[in-house]
Structures are given as C-alpha cells and as structure tokens.
Amino acid sequence: MTTAQQLKTLFDIKAANYRASGDSHPEAAAQFAVEGIMAMYRSQPEHLEQLLNEEIEDAMKAGRKLAA
C-alpha cells in the first residue's frame, strides 16, 4: 500500500469513527486528525509506512469499541 493509500484509509476510518461518535463535522475532524499525525511523523520518514499501519490499526480498534 502506498503512503497516499494509507492516508486515505486512515482518513476514511477516522471519519467513520467520528461519524459513529456523533461528531457534527466528521470529515473535518478526520482531516485535522490525519494532518496532526503527519506533522508528528514528519521527522521519521524512514518509518512512515509502519507508523501509518499502526495508526490504521489503532483507529480500527477504536471503531470496534465504538460499535460495541
């Protein structure tokens, strides 16, 4: 998966989680969340793929907790 695909996946999961939690602007909240994550990892480009995979996994876990 490319970085762009990972970011799209992360955005989609975050938006769904925000939507499930009742956020009034889930896409905007997801965009800010993904931008914050990218700002955090800018200094670690060599580990970006793994870090994004971990963020995706964490977001999926959070989504499952919201659904429960």
Coordinates of all heavy atoms in Angstrom, one line a residue:
M1 N 0.9 -1.2 0.0 CA 0.0 0.0 0.0 C 0.9 1.2 0.0 O 1.9 1.3 0.8 CB -0.9 0.0 1.3 CG -2.0 1.0 1.2 SD -3.1 1.0 2.7 CE -3.6 -0.6 3.0
T2 N 0.6 2.2 -0.8 CA 1.4 3.4 -0.9 C 1.0 4.3 0.3 O 0.0 4.1 0.9 CB 1.1 4.2 -2.2 OG1 -0.2 4.7 -2.2 CG2 1.4 3.3 -3.4
T3 N 1.8 5.3 0.5 CA 1.5 6.3 1.6 C 0.2 7.0 1.3 O -0.6 7.2 2.3 CB 2.7 7.3 1.7 OG1 3.9 6.6 2.0 CG2 2.4 8.3 2.8
A4 N -0.1 7.3 0.1 CA -1.3 8.0 -0.2 C -2.5 7.1 0.1 O -3.5 7.6 0.6 CB -1.4 8.4 -1.7
Q5 N -2.4 5.8 -0.2 CA -3.5 4.9 0.1 C -3.6 4.7 1.6 O -4.7 4.6 2.1 CB -3.2 3.5 -0.5 CG -3.3 3.5 -2.0 CD -2.7 2.2 -2.7 OE1 -1.7 1.7 -2.2 NE2 -3.4 1.8 -3.7
Q6 N -2.5 4.7 2.3 CA -2.6 4.6 3.8 C -3.3 5.8 4.4 O -4.1 5.6 5.3 CB -1.2 4.4 4.4 CG -0.5 3.1 4.2 CD 0.9 3.1 4.8 OE1 1.7 3.9 4.3 NE2 1.1 2.2 5.7
L7 N -2.9 7.0 3.9 CA -3.5 8.2 4.4 C -5.0 8.2 4.1 O -5.8 8.6 4.9 CB -2.9 9.4 3.8 CG -1.4 9.7 4.3 CD1 -0.8 10.8 3.5 CD2 -1.4 10.0 5.8
K8 N -5.4 7.7 2.9 CA -6.9 7.7 2.5 C -7.6 6.7 3.4 O -8.7 7.0 3.9 CB -7.0 7.3 1.1 CG -8.4 7.0 0.6 CD -9.1 8.2 0.2 CE -10.4 7.9 -0.5 NZ -11.6 8.0 0.4
T9 N -7.0 5.5 3.7 CA -7.6 4.5 4.6 C -7.7 5.1 6.0 O -8.8 5.0 6.6 CB -6.7 3.3 4.6 OG1 -6.7 2.7 3.3 CG2 -7.3 2.2 5.5
L10 N -6.7 5.7 6.5 CA -6.7 6.3 7.8 C -7.8 7.4 7.9 O -8.6 7.4 8.9 CB -5.3 6.9 8.2 CG -5.2 7.5 9.6 CD1 -5.5 6.4 10.6 CD2 -3.8 8.0 9.8
F11 N -7.9 8.2 6.9 CA -8.9 9.3 6.9 C -10.3 8.7 6.9 O -11.1 9.1 7.7 CB -8.7 10.2 5.6 CG -9.9 11.1 5.5 CD1 -9.9 12.3 6.1 CD2 -10.9 10.8 4.6 CE1 -10.9 13.2 6.0 CE2 -12.0 11.7 4.5 CZ -12.0 12.9 5.2
D12 N -10.5 7.7 6.0 CA -11.8 7.0 6.0 C -12.2 6.4 7.3 O -13.4 6.5 7.8 CB -11.9 6.0 4.9 CG -11.8 6.6 3.5 OD1 -12.0 7.8 3.3 OD2 -11.5 5.8 2.5
I13 N -11.3 5.7 8.0 CA -11.6 5.1 9.2 C -11.9 6.2 10.3 O -12.8 6.0 11.1 CB -10.4 4.2 9.7 CG1 -10.3 3.0 8.7 CG2 -10.7 3.7 11.1 CD1 -9.0 2.2 8.9
K14 N -11.0 7.2 10.3 CA -11.2 8.3 11.3 C -12.5 8.9 11.1 O -13.3 9.2 12.1 CB -10.1 9.3 11.2 CG -8.7 8.8 11.7 CD -8.6 9.1 13.1 CE -7.2 8.8 13.6 NZ -7.1 8.7 15.0
A15 N -12.9 9.2 9.9 CA -14.2 9.9 9.6 C -15.3 9.0 10.0 O -16.3 9.5 10.6 CB -14.3 10.2 8.1
A16 N -15.3 7.7 9.8 CA -16.3 6.8 10.2 C -16.4 6.8 11.7 O -17.5 6.8 12.3 CB -16.1 5.4 9.7
N17 N -15.3 6.8 12.4 CA -15.3 6.8 13.9 C -15.9 8.1 14.4 O -16.7 8.1 15.3 CB -13.9 6.6 14.4 CG -13.3 5.3 14.2 OD1 -14.0 4.3 13.8 ND2 -12.0 5.1 14.5
Y18 N -15.5 9.2 13.8 CA -16.1 10.5 14.3 C -17.6 10.5 14.0 O -18.4 11.0 14.8 CB -15.4 11.7 13.6 CG -14.1 12.0 14.2 CD1 -12.9 11.9 13.4 CD2 -14.0 12.4 15.5 CE1 -11.7 12.2 14.0 CE2 -12.8 12.7 16.1 CZ -11.6 12.6 15.3 OH -10.4 12.9 15.9
R19 N -18.0 10.0 12.8 CA -19.4 9.9 12.5 C -20.2 9.1 13.5 O -21.3 9.4 14.0 CB -19.6 9.3 11.1 CG -20.8 9.8 10.3 CD -20.8 9.3 8.9 NE -19.8 10.0 8.1 CZ -18.7 9.4 7.6 NH1 -18.5 8.1 7.7 NH2 -17.9 10.1 6.9
A20 N -19.6 7.9 13.9 CA -20.2 7.0 14.8 C -20.3 7.6 16.2 O -21.3 7.3 17.0 CB -19.5 5.7 14.9
S21 N -19.4 8.5 16.5 CA -19.5 9.1 17.9 C -20.3 10.4 17.9 O -20.5 11.0 18.9 CB -18.0 9.5 18.3 OG -17.5 10.5 17.5
G22 N -20.9 10.7 16.7 CA -21.9 11.8 16.7 C -21.3 13.2 16.4 O -21.9 14.2 16.6
D23 N -20.0 13.2 16.0 CA -19.4 14.5 15.6 C -20.2 15.2 14.5 O -20.6 14.6 13.6 CB -17.9 14.2 15.2 CG -17.1 15.5 15.1 OD1 -17.3 16.2 14.1 OD2 -16.3 15.7 16.0
S24 N -20.3 16.5 14.7 CA -21.1 17.2 13.7 C -20.4 17.5 12.4 O -21.0 17.8 11.4 CB -21.6 18.6 14.3 OG -20.5 19.3 14.7
H25 N -19.1 17.4 12.4 CA -18.3 17.6 11.2 C -17.2 16.5 11.1 O -16.0 16.8 11.2 CB -17.6 18.9 11.2 CG -18.6 20.1 11.2 ND1 -19.4 20.4 10.1 CD2 -19.0 20.9 12.2 CE1 -20.1 21.4 10.5 NE2 -19.9 21.7 11.7
P26 N -17.6 15.2 10.8 CA -16.6 14.1 10.9 C -15.5 14.2 9.9 O -14.4 13.8 10.2 CB -17.5 12.9 10.7 CG -18.7 13.4 10.0 CD -18.9 14.8 10.5
E27 N -15.8 14.7 8.7 CA -14.7 14.8 7.7 C -13.6 15.8 8.1 O -12.5 15.6 7.9 CB -15.3 15.1 6.3 CG -16.0 13.9 5.7 CD -17.4 13.7 6.2 OE1 -18.0 14.6 6.9 OE2 -17.9 12.6 6.0
A28 N -14.1 16.9 8.6 CA -13.2 18.0 9.1 C -12.3 17.5 10.2 O -11.1 17.7 10.3 CB -13.9 19.3 9.4
A29 N -13.0 16.8 11.2 CA -12.3 16.3 12.3 C -11.3 15.2 11.9 O -10.1 15.2 12.4 CB -13.3 15.6 13.3
A30 N -11.6 14.4 11.0 CA -10.7 13.4 10.4 C -9.5 14.0 9.7 O -8.4 13.6 9.9 CB -11.4 12.4 9.5
Q31 N -9.8 15.0 9.0 CA -8.7 15.7 8.3 C -7.7 16.3 9.2 O -6.5 16.2 9.1 CB -9.3 16.8 7.4 CG -8.2 17.5 6.5 CD -7.6 16.6 5.5 OE1 -8.2 15.7 4.9 NE2 -6.3 16.8 5.3
F32 N -8.2 17.0 10.3 CA -7.3 17.5 11.3 C -6.5 16.4 12.0 O -5.3 16.6 12.3 CB -8.1 18.4 12.3 CG -8.5 19.7 11.9 CD1 -9.8 20.1 11.8 CD2 -7.5 20.6 11.4 CE1 -10.2 21.4 11.4 CE2 -7.9 21.9 11.0 CZ -9.2 22.3 11.0
A33 N -7.2 15.3 12.3 CA -6.5 14.2 13.0 C -5.4 13.7 12.1 O -4.3 13.4 12.6 CB -7.5 13.1 13.3
V34 N -5.7 13.4 10.8 CA -4.6 12.9 9.9 C -3.5 13.9 9.7 O -2.3 13.5 9.7 CB -5.3 12.5 8.6 CG1 -4.2 12.1 7.5 CG2 -6.2 11.3 8.7
E35 N -3.8 15.2 9.6 CA -2.8 16.2 9.5 C -1.9 16.3 10.7 O -0.7 16.4 10.6 CB -3.4 17.6 9.2 CG -4.0 17.7 7.8 CD -4.7 19.0 7.6 OE1 -4.7 19.9 8.5 OE2 -5.3 19.2 6.5
G36 N -2.5 16.1 11.9 CA -1.8 16.1 13.1 C -0.8 14.9 13.2 O 0.3 15.0 13.6
I37 N -1.3 13.7 12.7 CA -0.5 12.5 12.7 C 0.7 12.7 11.8 O 1.8 12.4 12.1 CB -1.3 11.3 12.3 CG1 -2.3 11.0 13.4 CG2 -0.5 10.1 11.9 CD1 -3.4 10.0 13.0
M38 N 0.4 13.3 10.6 CA 1.5 13.5 9.6 C 2.5 14.5 10.2 O 3.7 14.4 10.0 CB 1.0 14.0 8.3 CG 0.3 12.9 7.5 SD 1.4 11.4 7.3 CE 2.6 12.1 6.2
A39 N 2.1 15.5 10.9 CA 3.0 16.5 11.5 C 3.9 15.8 12.5 O 5.1 16.1 12.6 CB 2.2 17.7 12.1
M40 N 3.3 14.9 13.2 CA 4.1 14.2 14.3 C 5.1 13.3 13.7 O 6.2 13.2 14.2 CB 3.1 13.3 15.1 CG 3.3 13.2 16.5 SD 2.1 12.3 17.4 CE 1.2 11.3 16.3
Y41 N 4.9 12.7 12.5 CA 5.8 11.8 11.9 C 6.7 12.3 10.8 O 7.4 11.6 10.2 CB 5.0 10.6 11.4 CG 4.3 9.8 12.4 CD1 3.1 9.2 12.1 CD2 4.8 9.7 13.7 CE1 2.4 8.4 13.1 CE2 4.1 8.9 14.7 CZ 2.9 8.3 14.3 OH 2.2 7.6 15.3
R42 N 6.6 13.6 10.6 CA 7.5 14.2 9.6 C 8.9 14.0 9.8 O 9.7 13.9 8.8 CB 7.2 15.7 9.5 CG 6.5 16.2 8.3 CD 6.2 17.7 8.3 NE 4.8 17.9 8.6 CZ 3.9 18.0 7.7 NH1 4.2 18.0 6.4 NH2 2.6 18.2 7.9
S43 N 9.3 13.9 11.0 CA 10.8 13.7 11.3 C 11.2 12.3 11.2 O 12.4 12.0 11.5 CB 11.1 14.3 12.7 OG 10.4 13.5 13.7
Q44 N 10.3 11.4 10.9 CA 10.6 9.9 10.8 C 10.2 9.3 9.5 O 9.5 8.3 9.5 CB 9.9 9.2 12.0 CG 10.3 9.8 13.3 CD 9.4 9.1 14.4 OE1 9.4 7.9 14.5 NE2 8.7 9.9 15.2
P45 N 10.6 9.9 8.4 CA 10.1 9.4 7.1 C 10.5 7.9 6.8 O 9.8 7.2 6.1 CB 10.7 10.3 6.1 CG 11.9 10.9 6.7 CD 11.5 11.0 8.2
E46 N 11.6 7.5 7.4 CA 12.0 6.1 7.1 C 11.1 5.1 7.8 O 11.1 3.9 7.4 CB 13.5 5.9 7.6 CG 13.7 6.0 9.1 CD 13.9 7.5 9.6 OE1 13.7 8.4 8.8 OE2 14.2 7.6 10.8
H47 N 10.3 5.5 8.8 CA 9.4 4.6 9.5 C 7.9 4.9 9.2 O 7.1 4.4 9.8 CB 9.6 4.8 11.0 CG 11.0 4.5 11.4 ND1 11.6 3.2 11.3 CD2 12.0 5.3 11.9 CE1 12.8 3.3 11.8 NE2 13.1 4.5 12.1
L48 N 7.7 5.8 8.2 CA 6.3 6.3 8.0 C 5.4 5.2 7.7 O 4.3 5.2 8.2 CB 6.3 7.3 6.9 CG 5.0 8.0 6.6 CD1 4.5 8.7 7.9 CD2 5.1 9.0 5.5
E49 N 5.7 4.2 6.8 CA 4.8 3.2 6.4 C 4.4 2.4 7.7 O 3.2 2.1 7.9 CB 5.5 2.2 5.4 CG 4.6 1.1 5.0 CD 5.2 0.2 4.0 OE1 6.3 0.5 3.4 OE2 4.6 -0.9 3.7
Q50 N 5.3 2.0 8.5 CA 5.0 1.2 9.7 C 4.2 2.0 10.7 O 3.2 1.6 11.3 CB 6.3 0.7 10.4 CG 6.0 0.0 11.7 CD 5.2 -1.3 11.5 OE1 5.3 -1.9 10.4 NE2 4.3 -1.6 12.4
L51 N 4.5 3.3 10.9 CA 3.8 4.2 11.8 C 2.3 4.4 11.3 O 1.4 4.3 12.1 CB 4.5 5.5 12.0 CG 5.8 5.4 12.7 CD1 6.6 6.7 12.5 CD2 5.6 5.1 14.1
L52 N 2.1 4.6 10.0 CA 0.8 4.7 9.5 C 0.0 3.4 9.6 O -1.2 3.4 10.0 CB 0.8 5.2 8.0 CG 1.2 6.6 7.8 CD1 1.3 6.9 6.3 CD2 0.2 7.6 8.5
N53 N 0.6 2.3 9.4 CA 0.0 1.0 9.6 C -0.5 0.9 11.1 O -1.6 0.4 11.4 CB 0.9 -0.2 9.3 CG 1.0 -0.4 7.8 OD1 0.1 0.0 7.0 ND2 2.1 -1.0 7.3
E54 N 0.3 1.3 12.0 CA -0.1 1.2 13.4 C -1.2 2.2 13.7 O -2.1 1.9 14.5 CB 1.1 1.6 14.3 CG 2.2 0.5 14.3 CD 3.5 0.8 15.0 OE1 3.5 1.8 15.7 OE2 4.5 0.1 14.8
E55 N -1.2 3.4 13.1 CA -2.3 4.3 13.3 C -3.6 3.8 12.7 O -4.7 3.9 13.3 CB -2.0 5.7 12.6 CG -0.9 6.5 13.3 CD -1.3 7.1 14.6 OE1 -2.5 7.2 14.9 OE2 -0.4 7.4 15.4
I56 N -3.5 3.1 11.6 CA -4.7 2.5 11.0 C -5.2 1.4 11.9 O -6.5 1.3 12.2 CB -4.4 1.9 9.6 CG1 -4.1 3.1 8.6 CG2 -5.5 1.0 9.1 CD1 -3.5 2.7 7.3
E57 N -4.4 0.6 12.4 CA -4.8 -0.5 13.3 C -5.4 0.1 14.6 O -6.5 -0.4 15.0 CB -3.6 -1.3 13.7 CG -3.9 -2.5 14.5 CD -2.6 -3.4 14.8 OE1 -1.8 -3.6 13.9 OE2 -2.5 -3.8 16.0
D58 N -4.8 1.1 15.1 CA -5.4 1.7 16.3 C -6.8 2.4 16.0 O -7.7 2.3 16.9 CB -4.5 2.8 16.9 CG -3.2 2.2 17.5 OD1 -3.2 1.0 17.8 OD2 -2.3 3.0 17.7
A59 N -6.9 3.0 14.9 CA -8.2 3.6 14.5 C -9.3 2.5 14.3 O -10.4 2.7 14.7 CB -8.0 4.4 13.2
M60 N -8.9 1.4 13.8 CA -9.8 0.3 13.6 C -10.3 -0.3 14.9 O -11.4 -0.6 15.1 CB -9.2 -0.8 12.7 CG -9.0 -0.4 11.3 SD -8.1 -1.6 10.3 CE -9.1 -3.0 10.3
K61 N -9.3 -0.4 15.9 CA -9.7 -0.9 17.2 C -10.6 0.1 17.9 O -11.6 -0.3 18.5 CB -8.4 -1.0 18.1 CG -7.6 -2.2 17.8 CD -6.3 -2.2 18.6 CE -5.4 -3.3 18.2 NZ -4.1 -3.3 19.0
A62 N -10.4 1.4 17.7 CA -11.3 2.4 18.3 C -12.7 2.3 17.7 O -13.7 2.4 18.4 CB -10.7 3.8 18.1
G63 N -12.7 2.1 16.4 CA -14.0 1.9 15.7 C -14.8 0.7 16.2 O -16.0 0.8 16.4
R64 N -14.1 -0.4 16.5 CA -14.8 -1.6 17.0 C -15.3 -1.3 18.4 O -16.4 -1.7 18.8 CB -13.8 -2.8 17.1 CG -13.6 -3.3 15.7 CD -12.8 -4.7 15.7 NE -11.5 -4.6 16.2 CZ -10.4 -4.4 15.4 NH1 -10.6 -4.3 14.1 NH2 -9.2 -4.3 15.9
K65 N -14.6 -0.5 19.2 CA -15.0 -0.2 20.6 C -16.3 0.7 20.5 O -17.2 0.6 21.3 CB -13.9 0.5 21.4 CG -12.9 -0.4 21.8 CD -11.8 0.3 22.7 CE -10.7 -0.6 23.1 NZ -9.7 0.0 23.9
L66 N -16.3 1.6 19.5 CA -17.5 2.5 19.3 C -18.7 1.7 18.9 O -19.8 2.0 19.3 CB -17.2 3.6 18.3 CG -16.4 4.8 18.7 CD1 -16.0 5.6 17.5 CD2 -17.1 5.6 19.7
A67 N -18.5 0.7 18.1 CA -19.6 -0.2 17.6 C -20.1 -1.1 18.7 O -21.3 -1.5 18.6 CB -19.1 -1.0 16.4
A68 N -19.3 -1.4 19.7 CA -19.8 -2.3 20.8 C -20.7 -1.7 21.7 O -21.0 -0.6 21.9 CB -18.5 -2.8 21.5

